[in-house]
């Protein structure tokens, strides 16, 4: 009997370009997979599971996935009931807002199921607080940064940075809620009072040096799976913006990993593997010297897989699906990648 996989996703947040659709379709066709079903957070029938964290939940409403599964049909497929006890593995493909409480609920409600990425590992790694743990590993390959609870703490760091700082909510992605503060300048947050209001609304934030390269800024998304760099996609901000995320209107093009990017992955991958992170994305910005430096690590809903495939013509979605199937079948995050020659340059 093959593996029965439950995909946790949310159609209110996923878009046509999201890799969940082609990866899930390929996953359903893998020889070690018996079935793939999607339990949508947007379906009210699943509220007790997603929002109530109800330990008495025994089944979910789900949609079956086949080779033709895609964005246009994901909400049209007929639903069926899946019993949680029948699930062998869970593939987590959720956007924020996804609470720490929900991620910790998953291994309690389905202790028998293998979760990818590891649910408890996601609690730790999907917070931007983890960047401060990685800072000693990468040294000057990461900008000045700190976790700040007060406006005074933010100003101390901002005064040390010639271009000011960027404030990021500790649990957010896609460039949402990212703002700039530069004392005495007309930025997103114009004064210390605005900074205080931002912290009052969002709580503790990661505050990082604002980087101003000599030329245009670009953000390299380095996709890593099982310790291997799959590809690098360079994301360019739209005109008049400094936020490079594709979801914020940026454009994208293929790139090659720089030596600094290779070095950063070498230093941080053992940490990610320790936490059961199978697939993750590392964002690398340019500093004033034109060097790539670590900006973010994304582990919750890792994007850019489908974008890389569209730009390069290489079968990244099938490659990820086949390796996802192998990891699920082995119930082991440390097995060597398979089929690497399919995506070789």
């Amino acid at each position: 009997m093959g593996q029965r996989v439950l995909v946790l996703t949310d159609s209110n947040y996923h878009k046509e370009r999201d890799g969940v659709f082609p990866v899930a379709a390929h996953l359903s066709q893998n020889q070690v997979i018996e079935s793939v079903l999607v339990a949508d957070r947007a379906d009210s029938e699943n509220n007790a599971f997603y929002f109530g964290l109800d330990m008495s939940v025994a089944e979910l409403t789900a949609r079956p996935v086949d080779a033709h599964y895609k964005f246009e049909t994901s909400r049209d497929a007929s639903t069926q009931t899946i019993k949680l006890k029948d699930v062998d593995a869970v593939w987590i493909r959720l956007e924020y807002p996804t609470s720490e409480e929900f991620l910790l609920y998953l291994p309690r409600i389905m202790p028998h199921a293998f979760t990818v990425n590891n649910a408890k590992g996601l609690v730790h790694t999907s917070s931007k607080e983890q960047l401060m743990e990685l800072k000693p590993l990468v040294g000057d390959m990461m900008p000045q940064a700190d976790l700040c609870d007060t406006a005074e703490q933010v100003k101390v760091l901002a005064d040390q940075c010639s271009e000011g700082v960027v404030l990021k909510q500790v649990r957010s992605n896609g460039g949402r809620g990212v703002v700039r503060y530069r004392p005495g300048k007309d930025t997103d947050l114009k004064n210390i009072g605005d900074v205080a209001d931002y912290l009052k609304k969002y709580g503790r934030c990661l505050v990082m040096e604002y980087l101003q390269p000599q030329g245009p800024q670009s953000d390299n998304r380095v996709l890593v799976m099982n310790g291997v760099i799959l590809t690098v996609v360079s994301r360019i901000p739209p005109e008049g913006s400094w936020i490079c995320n594709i979801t914020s209107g940026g454009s994208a093009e293929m790139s090659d990993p720089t030596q600094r990017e290779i070095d950063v992955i070498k230093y941080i991958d053992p940490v990610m593997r320790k936490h059961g992170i199978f697939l993750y994305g590392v964002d690398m910005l340019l500093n004033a010297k034109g060097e790539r430096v670590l900006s973010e690590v994304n582990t919750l809903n890792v994007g850019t897989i489908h974008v890389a495939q569209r730009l390069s013509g290489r079968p990244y979605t099938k490659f990820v699906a086949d390796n996802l199937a192998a990891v699920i079948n082995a119930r082991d995050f440390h097995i060597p990648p398979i089929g690497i020659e399919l995506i070789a340059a």
Side-chain angles (χ1 to χ4, degrees):
M1 180 180 292
Q3 301 289 321
R4 296 161 295 185
V5 181
L6 179 66
V7 183
L8 303 183
T9 188
D10 190 331
S11 61
N12 286 334
Y13 291 87
H14 291 307
K15 305 299 180 184
E16 183 175 4
R17 60 178 172 265
D18 199 294
V20 65
F21 305 106
V23 174
H26 287 305
L27 184 65
S28 73
Q29 302 305 297
N30 191 281
Q31 61 183 1
V32 303
I33 302 299
E34 178 182 327
S35 63
V36 179
L37 291 106
V38 173
D40 194 340
R41 188 165 61 180
D43 287 338
S44 59
E45 297 91 337
N46 295 329
N47 281 354
F49 174 77
Y50 278 113
F51 304 108
L53 310 185
D54 186 347
M55 289 298 296
S56 68
V57 171
E59 56 189 34
L60 294 174
T61 296
R63 293 178 173 82
V65 173
D66 59 20
H68 306 291
Y69 180 72
K70 52 186 177 179
F71 175 73
E72 292 83 357
T73 59
S74 62
R75 292 303 307 274
D76 297 333
S78 57
T79 60
Q80 63 186 66
T81 297
I82 182 172
K83 297 183 182 299
L84 298 188
K85 68 179 181 65
D86 294 335
V87 173
D88 297 306
V90 178
W91 181 31
I92 303 170
R93 289 290 297 186
L94 291 167
E95 288 274 6
Y96 287 109
T98 298
S99 69
E100 176 179 319
E101 290 75 18
F102 175 75
L103 292 172
L104 294 175
Y105 163 76
L106 285 177
R108 292 191 296 120
I109 190 72
M110 288 187 285
H112 61 286
F114 183 78
T115 57
V116 187
N117 287 321
N118 180 273
K120 292 181 179 178
L122 283 174
V123 171
H124 188 81
T125 63
S126 65
S127 170
K128 291 179 176 60
E129 293 174 316
Q130 193 213 16
L131 282 170
M132 298 312 299
E133 296 179 26
L134 300 178
K135 175 70 171 169
L137 298 178
V138 300
D140 64 0
M141 289 187 290
M142 179 175 155
Q144 291 190 69
D146 204 353
L147 293 167
C148 295
D149 299 289
T150 68
E152 289 73 22
Q153 291 172 330
V154 174
K155 189 174 186 309
V156 167
L157 183 56
D159 286 340
Q160 298 172 15
C161 302
S162 60
E163 298 293 332
V165 294
V166 171
L167 282 72
K168 303 179 181 183
Q169 300 166 40
V170 295
R171 293 195 182 275
S172 180
N173 63 352
R176 289 183 285 271
V178 177
V179 294
R180 182 183 179 189
Y181 169 61
R182 188 180 180 193
K185 301 293 182 180
D186 186 15
T187 49
D188 301 312
L189 303 180
K190 302 184 186 308
N191 53 56
I192 197 70
D194 287 348
V195 174
D197 290 342
Y198 185 89
L199 291 170
K200 183 178 180 180
K201 181 176 181 180
Y202 297 112
R204 167 176 281 195
C205 290
L206 176 73
V207 181
M208 183 174 282
E209 176 187 4
Y210 181 89
L211 300 175
Q212 184 62 65
Q214 294 182 1
Q217 182 60 276
S218 64
D219 182 1
N220 277 5
R221 163 60 61 87
V222 183
L223 280 170
V224 185
M225 190 198 70
N226 271 14
V228 173
I229 294 178
L230 298 185
T231 189
V232 179
V233 174
S234 187
R235 302 174 297 183
I236 298 94
E239 186 175 353
S241 176
W242 52 272
I243 296 178
C244 300
N245 300 77
I246 297 173
T247 53
S248 299
S251 58
E253 59 187 36
M254 297 300 293
S255 186
D256 295 318
T258 66
Q259 186 58 52
R260 287 171 69 92
E261 289 166 342
I262 293 170
D263 289 343
V264 164
I265 301 307
K266 178 179 70 175
Y267 292 133
I268 73 172
D269 190 67
V271 177
M272 310 309 291
R273 302 285 285 279
K274 181 184 73 173
H275 289 292
I277 302 302
F278 159 79
L279 178 72
Y280 61 98
V282 172
D283 295 344
M284 304 283 293
L285 291 173
L286 285 171
N287 64 16
K289 298 178 182 179
E291 301 166 329
R292 289 288 171 186
V293 290
L294 175 62
S295 170
E296 289 195 21
V297 178
N298 297 268
T299 61
L300 184 59
N301 182 34
V302 184
T304 322
I305 304 168
H306 200 196
V307 174
Q309 178 163 304
R310 175 175 55 81
L311 291 172
S312 69
R314 296 172 187 167
Y316 288 112
T317 54
K318 185 178 188 304
F319 179 72
V320 170
D322 288 346
N323 280 275
L324 178 60
V327 165
I328 288 171
N329 196 47
R331 301 178 79 88
D332 184 355
F333 289 105
H334 297 88
I335 63 173
I338 58 173
I340 196 76
E341 69 279 357
L342 295 177
I343 61 164

